[in-house]
Amino acid sequence: MATNNEIEFKQLLNKDVYDKFKHAFFEHKEPFTQTNYYIDTPSFTLRNHKSALRIRVKNDTYEMTLKVPAKVGLMEYNHMVTYHPNTGDVISTHTLPHDIRDIIESYGVNDNELTILGALTTARLETTYQDELLVLDKSDYFDKVDYELEFEVNDYNSGLQKFNKLLNEFNLEHTVPKNKVQRFFDYKNQIEN
């Protein structure tokens, strides 16, 4: 098990700006693909606690991650798992790693309430920018495609300055977007209603 305090800045992009960033920073990079299977209860108990549970499939590996609010950013609980996810599967809390199970049960989630609600597939490009990780994502979910720039940093204040400077170079003003899981669930609700 690994924990990680994640500090990152994000910006949604349109296709044209995505292409400009791709050309400027990732021209000789090959994207890799990862699919996130999002898990919650039918009443969105985890989302209501500002938390998210997923299984990420990348390079034939399966990693379960629970993200919960931290003083700065999010605390991630990460575990390699052997479970092969499918949309609609119900997951028993008894099969979860202990630390993830303890947090989820503290939210009042009962056994067999967790369901894999869908998948989001991302083609990701990564590079180093000013000693930090710069990420360019193209994500597909349901019938939607979105584009996002992420900047993962070690220090919030210096990272924010670097990110704003980068955005200024592309004539962008930082607008904090909803995260991928929020966009996924919002769009799922939109197409179901």
Side-chain angles (χ1 to χ4, degrees):
M1 189 260 326
T3 58
N4 177 41
N5 190 9
E6 179 181 66
I7 303 171
E8 62 186 9
F9 302 99
K10 301 178 179 205
Q11 180 79 23
L12 284 178
L13 308 171
N14 64 35
K15 175 75 165 79
D16 290 340
V17 177
Y18 169 88
D19 288 339
K20 288 176 184 174
F21 272 100
K22 188 174 179 181
H23 178 74
F25 295 100
F26 303 94
E27 192 168 29
H28 301 290
K29 301 282 185 176
E30 285 296 318
F32 62 89
T33 301
Q34 58 191 32
T35 300
N36 291 339
Y37 290 85
Y38 292 116
I39 305 163
D40 208 329
T41 68
S43 60
F44 301 107
T45 303
L46 303 183
R47 184 181 71 182
N48 294 339
H49 282 88
K50 298 184 180 359
S51 300
L53 181 63
R54 72 170 185 230
I55 295 174
R56 175 173 284 166
V57 179
K58 183 171 93 175
N59 299 328
D60 295 322
T61 64
Y62 300 82
E63 182 180 43
M64 179 176 281
T65 299
L66 176 66
K67 293 185 180 190
V68 299
K71 287 183 179 180
V72 177
L74 297 169
M75 180 59 70
E76 291 185 349
Y77 297 85
N78 301 299
H79 294 270
M80 299 310 293
V81 295
T82 57
Y83 182 81
H84 293 212
N86 291 297
T87 299
D89 286 357
V90 174
I91 299 177
S92 170
T93 55
H94 297 299
T95 64
L96 299 175
H98 292 290
D99 53 351
I100 291 177
R101 182 179 66 215
D102 290 346
I103 293 168
I104 287 175
E105 287 178 346
S106 78
Y107 295 162
V109 174
N110 297 315
D111 194 31
N112 294 320
E113 273 192 289
L114 293 174
T115 304
I116 298 176
L117 299 175
L120 179 148
T121 299
T122 300
R124 174 166 281 193
L125 293 160
E126 294 182 347
T127 194
T128 301
Y129 173 77
Q130 294 195 2
D131 299 320
E132 310 280 5
L133 180 63
L134 187 65
V135 177
L136 193 62
D137 285 344
K138 175 185 173 191
S139 296
D140 293 279
Y141 47 105
F142 304 109
D143 62 349
K144 185 169 181 64
V145 177
D146 71 27
Y147 306 93
E148 183 176 38
L149 183 71
E150 294 184 8
F151 192 48
E152 296 183 15
V153 301
N154 294 311
D155 178 77
Y156 181 90
N157 292 325
S158 66
L160 181 58
Q161 287 178 340
K162 291 175 185 179
F163 190 60
N164 282 327
K165 183 176 182 282
L166 175 62
L167 293 180
N168 286 337
E169 291 173 18
F170 286 81
N171 297 314
L172 297 172
E173 185 176 326
H174 186 207
T175 305
V176 179
K178 292 180 178 179
N179 64 33
K180 282 183 182 70
V181 69
Q182 291 169 318
R183 296 195 309 267
F184 172 88
F185 282 125
D186 286 351
Y187 193 69
K188 180 177 173 53
N189 288 339
Q190 180 183 331
I191 62 176
E192 289 177 351
N193 294 327

